Amino acid sequence: MSTVDNPTIWEISDSDTEIEEDPGDLQLEDRSNTIPAKNALPPPPSYDYELPCPPKKRRSKEEIEADKEKVRLRKEAREKIRAVKEQEKQEKKKETQRRKEAAQHINNLKPENYLKCLTLCIDPALLQQQGSDILLETLSSNELQYSIKKQSFPNSITWTRDLTQLAEDVEATDVEDQLVQVLGPSEFLDMVISVKKVIDNEEEEPVLDYSTVKKVTVLVTESQTNSRKRGHASGDTIQSKYGGKDLDVEEVLVYLQLYKNTSVVFLEGWQDVTDHVCAVTKALSKRPFKLLTEQAELPFCVDGSWASGARVEKDGTGLKQVWTRQIQQLNRVSQVVASCVTAAYPSPQLLLQAYEALSSEEDKKKLLADLMVKGEGKDRRVGPEISTRIYRCLTTHNPELVLD
C-alpha cells in the first residue's frame, strides 16, 4: 500500500466557484495578468529599418537608342495610318462631290431644264415683216427666252446656250449649230439667181454664204399651194425673173442641200414659221440628253439577259465564260457553238497559237469547221462559215472589215 507524503491542500474560495452566466460581459481590468488564448497568434514584430531595394540596372547607350528608335517607328506608323485614313476620307469626299456634280449635270441636261438655258436671237429686220408678232407672242406664252439683236444673216434666228446654268465655274455662252432664215418669194428668187450663177461658173460665191454655219434652214413664206407641194417656187415667177425653168430651182435646191448643208422649206405664213421655230427649239433642248443616253460603255455587246458581262475573280475564275461570250457576240453564233469552241481552245492565246502552227490561209479558216456541236437532237459541225468569221475576228488588223 502506497502512501502520499505531505499532501498539498488546495483551498477554493467562494469567488472562484462563481460562474458567470454571460461570458461576453466579462471585462478584464488587468491585461498584463491575462493569460493568452491557446490558438492566439503573437503580434507581428516591428522593425525600425526599411528593406533595401534591389539596385537599378543602368541601360547602355545602345539600348537607349534602340528604345528611342522603337518609339519613333511606332510614331511614324501611327502617323502613316492617320495619313492613309485622311487620304481615304478626302478621296471619299471627292468621289461624293463628283457623283453629286455628275447627277446635277445630268439633271441640267434634261429637256425641261436645258430649255431654260436656250435663248433665241432674233434679227430686228425679221420683226418688221407683217405677222411676225405671232412669233413673239408664242415664245412668251411658252416661256421661251429670246433677245432681239442684229444677226450675221438678215431675217435670221439663231440659238445660244448659257453655260453658267450648266456649270457653276463657267461663265460663257455658246452658239448652237442651227440657223433659220425667213425669206419672202422675191428674196428667195434672188438667192436662186445667185446660186444658179455659181453653178454655171458665172460667179465665185453667192451673196449669202452659209459656210460658217453647220445647219441652215431657209423658210420661204407666202408661196403658192401647188408650188409648195412640188417643193419650189412658181415657174411663171422664175421665168419672169431670169427666164429659167422649174428644173433650175430643183438644181439650186439640190446644190444647197449637198454643198451648203442648207434645207429649203416652203410655208404659207407666220404661224407655220412660228411652229417650225418652236419645233427646232424643243429639238435642241432634247439633243444633249439624248446623246448622253445613247452613249454605251460596250457598244459591241449584244442584248440579252447576260449583257452586263461575266464576273472574273482574282484567281482567274470566269475568264473562260468571258471567252465564250466574246465568241457568242458574233452574228448567228449560239451559246452551244461558242462553248464548243472554247472547250477545244480554252483561251484566245491557244487558238492563236493553233492558227500560227498552220501554214496555209485556207487551213486556218477551216480549223474550227470540224468541231462537233452536241445539241438536244442530232449532232452537227461548227461549219466553215462560223470558223472563217472567228478566224477573221481574231486575226484581222482592219477595224472596218465586215466579218460576214
Side-chain angles (χ1 to χ4, degrees), residues 46-265:
S46 60
Y47 300 95
D48 296 336
Y49 60 91
E50 296 180 356
L51 295 176
C53 296
K56 294 183 179 180
K57 184 179 179 180
R58 296 182 62 85
R59 295 187 301 170
S60 63
K61 185 177 180 180
E62 290 77 7
E63 292 177 345
I64 295 175
E65 293 295 333
D67 292 342
K68 290 182 178 180
E69 183 67 18
K70 291 180 180 179
V71 173
R72 186 182 66 81
L73 293 177
R74 286 197 297 268
K75 184 178 180 180
E76 290 181 355
R78 289 194 299 267
E79 292 293 335
K80 187 176 181 180
I81 294 174
R82 189 180 297 110
V84 171
K85 290 183 178 180
E86 183 66 21
Q87 184 179 1
E88 292 178 353
K89 182 179 179 180
Q90 294 296 330
E91 291 179 354
K92 186 176 180 180
K93 186 177 180 180
K94 291 181 180 178
E95 181 66 17
T96 303
Q97 182 66 21
R98 187 189 65 81
R99 292 183 178 180
K100 182 179 179 180
E101 292 177 355
Q104 183 64 31
H105 178 68
I106 294 176
N107 186 53
N108 291 336
L109 292 181
K110 291 183 178 180
E112 59 274 13
N113 296 327
Y114 191 81
L115 190 61
K116 301 176 183 178
C117 305
L118 293 176
T119 301
L120 287 83
C121 302
I122 305 174
D123 188 72
L126 187 63
L127 301 180
Q128 297 178 2
Q129 298 185 18
Q130 186 178 1
S132 59
D133 55 336
I134 300 177
L135 175 63
L136 300 181
E137 292 176 359
T138 305
L139 295 178
S140 301
S141 61
N142 293 332
E143 297 182 354
L144 299 177
Q145 301 181 15
Y146 65 89
S147 64
I148 302 174
K149 59 182 178 179
K150 188 174 180 58
Q151 301 297 309
S152 302
F153 298 93
N155 301 325
S156 64
I157 301 175
T158 59
W159 287 261
T160 60
R161 58 177 178 271
D162 187 6
L163 301 180
T164 307
Q165 301 185 25
L166 300 179
E168 296 180 355
D169 55 344
V170 178
E171 294 183 0
T173 57
D174 195 8
V175 181
E176 295 286 351
D177 58 355
Q178 297 285 331
L179 182 143
V180 172
Q181 189 176 29
V182 183
L183 300 179
S186 59
E187 297 169 337
F188 171 71
L189 292 176
D190 292 338
M191 185 181 69
V192 170
I193 295 172
S194 177
V195 175
K196 179 59 178 168
K197 291 180 179 180
V198 173
I199 297 175
D200 297 337
N201 296 325
E202 297 180 9
E203 291 183 1
E204 294 182 359
E205 284 294 335
V207 177
L208 299 177
D209 185 11
Y210 299 112
S211 59
T212 58
V213 186
K214 293 183 179 180
K215 180 64 177 177
V216 179
T217 302
V218 177
L219 305 180
V220 182
T221 60
E222 300 178 359
S223 60
Q224 297 180 5
T225 306
N226 56 349
S227 300
R228 186 177 66 255
K229 292 181 179 179
R230 295 196 304 269
H232 53 75
S234 173
D236 296 336
T237 308
I238 294 175
Q239 292 179 1
S240 63
K241 280 284 183 179
Y242 65 98
K245 299 181 180 179
D246 292 348
L247 185 61
D248 297 332
V249 178
E250 296 288 351
E251 184 180 3
V252 170
L253 297 180
V254 172
Y255 175 84
L256 291 175
Q257 181 68 42
L258 296 180
Y259 295 95
K260 301 300 180 181
N261 196 21
T262 301
S263 301
V264 179
V265 180

